[in-house]
Amino acid sequence: MHNMERNELEALTKLVISCMNKETQKGNGFQVPVGVSNRHIHLSQEHVEALFGPGYQLTKKKELMGGQFACNECCTIVGLKLRAIENVRVLGPARKSTQVEISSTDARKLGINVPIRESGDVKGSAPIAIVGPKGAVYCKEGCIVAARHIHMSPADAAACGVSDGDYVSVKVENERGTTFNNVKIRVDESFTLEMHIDTDEANASEIKQGDKVVVIK
Amino acid sequence: MHNMERNELEALTKLVISCMNKETQKGNGFQVPVGVSNRHIHLSQEHVEALFGPGYQLTKKKELMGGQFACNECCTIVGLKLRAIENVRVLGPARKSTQVEISSTDARKLGINVPIRESGDVKGSAPIAIVGPKGAVYCKEGCIVAARHIHMSPADAAACGVSDGDYVSVKVENERGTTFNNVKIRVDESFTLEMHIDTDEANASEIKQGDKVVVIK
């Protein structure tokens, strides 16, 4: 290759990289605090009563964002291979349908295949048995690994330049250094700005509850 | 105390001990092999189908005495405190009612109070949840620690000089050296001579499956 050609190529390359960087700059600097979700259970009121007794109401242990709360109540979950994880926290309030959210590490412990799904999308997800102090229920589906996502208010979405349903990438600047791609944006008036990841993602990327990540789109 | 009185007392004591020993000799020398029962589950056919699927039949893994068999099927049990013991063996054939037999060590692991009961006497016994690959059942009672007992044929009972429902003591001659009292005799034509103890009793008395003990009544 001649020198002239190489110089031109280098100039062109710089130009392309510059454009790419400008593209990448979109949303840059928009920081999002992280919430790390441990395994937990959402129950329908029917299942609350099956597991804890007729007329039973979940009781609040700790407020969470979006009107949710960690309950005093726990259940033990058992997967298809009959392996158990004991005392999994229930989150309130009761929902329309029961959903068990575990990490992939938990799924391996249980010896079952659990799909990565958005909350609420449980069709065809893994079967799971839930045992409470007054009963046991067997869910033919409802066990998922939660897909990473960011909760935002409409104002936050505007500031970040994203819309409900968009997918972005998120950069973690720390010793390990990780970029999470395919992070879904979920916008609702009731949402507090927070990226939700599970314990595997937190451990893999050296993130603690409340650490901040940056949207790079 | 005068010497004369002491001599008389010693003589009397020897006489009493001699009489006691003669009494103790009854049944002596009658040896019984020991069967050590690990934790296991007896299921009703209704519960077999609830846990393994409609129409399901238990499958034989290994013949046991009295027409019973260890099944290929296992279940996971969960107690009131939501602690679990995984993959507990089911014994066949299906029975009239479900019964879970665990050791006191298991009961401590589960964090529940489990009464010592004869097989079949489950009224007011501990509640237990049973989880299979296709379902879960919650038993309000049915979890017991099995009371030690000896199965005998009528011929064995005659040879030993005992009757159905008698209680005897049983001596274990080994390094630890243990006598089990309050051992119930159960006589039936279908029974093979065997003393049934659980893993705690076996461990406490240094007994292995097939070891022999002696009835001392």
Side-chain angles (χ1 to χ4, degrees), chain B residues 16-32:
Chain B
V16 169
I17 288 174
S18 165
C19 288
M20 286 171 68
N21 278 343
K22 272 183 194 151
E23 188 64 25
T24 306
Q25 298 298 314
K26 280 187 193 169
N28 236 1
F30 191 84
Q31 289 194 319
V32 180

Side-chain angles (χ1 to χ4, degrees), chain B residues 156-176:
Chain B
D156 288 324
C160 184
V162 294
S163 305
D164 186 53
D166 280 0
Y167 285 88
V168 298
S169 289
V170 158
K171 200 168 182 185
V172 186
E173 306 264 22
N174 59 18
E175 187 188 351
R176 277 198 148 166

Side-chain angles (χ1 to χ4, degrees), chain A:
Chain A
M1 194 181 284
H2 297 292
N3 272 348
M4 280 290 285
E5 285 171 340
R6 174 173 288 177
N7 287 344
E8 282 164 7
L9 192 61
E10 282 178 357
L12 187 62
T13 303
K14 277 180 187 164
L15 192 64
V16 169
I17 289 175
S18 165
C19 287
M20 286 171 69
N21 279 343
K22 271 184 194 149
E23 188 64 27
T24 307
Q25 297 299 314
K26 278 187 193 167
N28 236 0
F30 191 83
Q31 289 194 318
V32 179
V34 180
V36 180
S37 295
N38 201 345
R39 68 182 75 98
H40 61 271
I41 302 170
H42 301 284
L43 293 173
S44 66
Q45 182 57 29
E46 182 194 345
H47 283 169
V48 169
E49 301 195 22
L51 296 167
F52 295 95
Y56 194 90
Q57 297 289 325
L58 294 174
T59 61
K60 197 176 294 187
K61 181 187 168 80
K62 187 185 165 192
E63 292 276 358
L64 302 173
M65 54 169 275
Q68 292 198 103
F69 52 90
C71 299
N72 294 300
E73 291 76 19
C74 290
C75 291
T76 287
I77 58 174
V78 183
L80 262 188
K81 291 212 180 148
L82 305 180
R83 298 191 207 146
I85 297 179
E86 300 171 348
N87 287 298
V88 179
R89 184 71 52 194
V90 175
L91 296 197
R95 284 193 178 184
K96 196 177 161 197
S97 64
T98 291
Q99 177 175 299
V100 176
E101 296 180 38
I102 64 175
S103 69
S104 289
T105 298
D106 291 338
R108 282 178 181 272
K109 200 279 176 192
L110 294 176
I112 58 179
N113 288 319
V114 180
I116 295 167
R117 292 285 183 84
E118 279 185 63
S119 183
D121 177 18
V122 297
K123 196 167 163 58
S125 61
I128 192 87
I130 310 173
V131 181
K134 296 279 177 64
V137 299
Y138 183 84
C139 303
K140 287 184 178 169
E141 58 188 25
C143 185
I144 64 170
V145 173
R148 56 176 80 127
H149 60 271
I150 298 174
H151 277 189
M152 283 183 178
S153 67
D156 288 323
C160 184
V162 294
S163 304
D164 186 55
D166 280 1
Y167 285 87
V168 298
S169 289
V170 157
K171 200 169 182 186
V172 186
E173 306 264 23
N174 59 19
E175 187 188 350
R176 277 197 148 166
T178 308
T179 300
F180 290 117
N181 302 311
N182 307 325
V183 182
K184 191 165 189 177
I185 300 290
R186 291 166 65 181
V187 180
D188 190 280
E189 278 293 354
S190 74
F191 287 165
T192 307
L193 181 66
E194 197 169 50
M195 178 171 176
H196 290 176
I197 62 175
D198 69 16
T199 47
D200 285 348
E201 293 168 313
N203 292 335
S205 64
E206 201 189 350
I207 282 180
K208 297 181 310 298
Q209 175 79 21
D211 281 359
K212 288 190 173 169
V213 295
V214 173
V215 176
I216 57 173
K217 287 203 280 198

Side-chain angles (χ1 to χ4, degrees), chain B:
Chain B
M1 193 181 283
H2 296 294
N3 272 346
M4 281 289 284
E5 284 171 342
R6 173 173 289 175
N7 287 344
E8 283 164 7
L9 193 63
E10 281 178 356
L12 187 63
T13 303
K14 277 179 187 166
L15 190 65
V16 169
I17 288 174
S18 165
C19 288
M20 286 171 68
N21 278 343
K22 272 183 194 151
E23 188 64 25
T24 306
Q25 298 298 314
K26 280 187 193 169
N28 236 1
F30 191 84
Q31 289 194 319
V32 180
V34 180
V36 180
S37 296
N38 201 345
R39 67 182 77 99
H40 61 272
I41 302 170
H42 301 284
L43 292 173
S44 66
Q45 182 57 29
E46 181 195 344
H47 283 170
V48 168
E49 301 195 23
L51 296 167
F52 295 96
Y56 194 90
Q57 297 289 323
L58 293 173
T59 62
K60 197 176 293 187
K61 180 187 168 81
K62 188 185 166 193
E63 292 276 359
L64 302 174
M65 53 169 276
Q68 292 198 103
F69 52 90
C71 300
N72 294 300
E73 291 76 19
C74 291
C75 291
T76 287
I77 58 173
V78 183
L80 263 187
K81 290 213 181 147
L82 305 179
R83 299 189 207 148
I85 297 178
E86 300 171 347
N87 287 298
V88 179
R89 185 70 54 193
V90 175
L91 296 197
R95 284 192 178 184
K96 196 177 160 198
S97 64
T98 291
Q99 177 175 300
V100 177
E101 295 179 39
I102 64 174
S103 69
S104 290
T105 298
D106 291 338
R108 283 179 181 273
K109 200 278 179 194
L110 294 176
I112 59 179
N113 288 319
V114 180
I116 295 167
R117 292 285 182 83
E118 280 185 62
S119 183
D121 177 18
V122 299
K123 194 165 163 57
S125 61
I128 193 86
I130 309 173
V131 182
K134 295 279 179 63
V137 299
Y138 183 85
C139 303
K140 286 186 180 172
E141 59 189 23
C143 184
I144 64 169
V145 173
R148 55 176 80 127
H149 59 272
I150 299 175
H151 277 190
M152 284 183 178
S153 68
D156 288 324
C160 184
V162 294
S163 305
D164 186 53
D166 280 0
Y167 285 88
V168 298
S169 289
V170 158
K171 200 168 182 185
V172 186
E173 306 264 22
N174 59 18
E175 187 188 351
R176 277 198 148 166
T178 307
T179 300
F180 290 117
N181 301 311
N182 307 325
V183 182
K184 192 166 189 176
I185 300 290
R186 290 165 66 180
V187 181
D188 190 279
E189 279 293 356
S190 74
F191 287 165
T192 307
L193 182 66
E194 196 168 52
M195 178 173 177
H196 290 178
I197 60 175
D198 69 16
T199 47
D200 285 348
E201 292 168 314
N203 292 336
S205 63
E206 202 189 351
I207 283 181
K208 298 181 309 298
Q209 175 80 22
D211 282 359
K212 288 189 173 168
V213 294
V214 174
V215 176
I216 57 173
K217 288 201 280 197

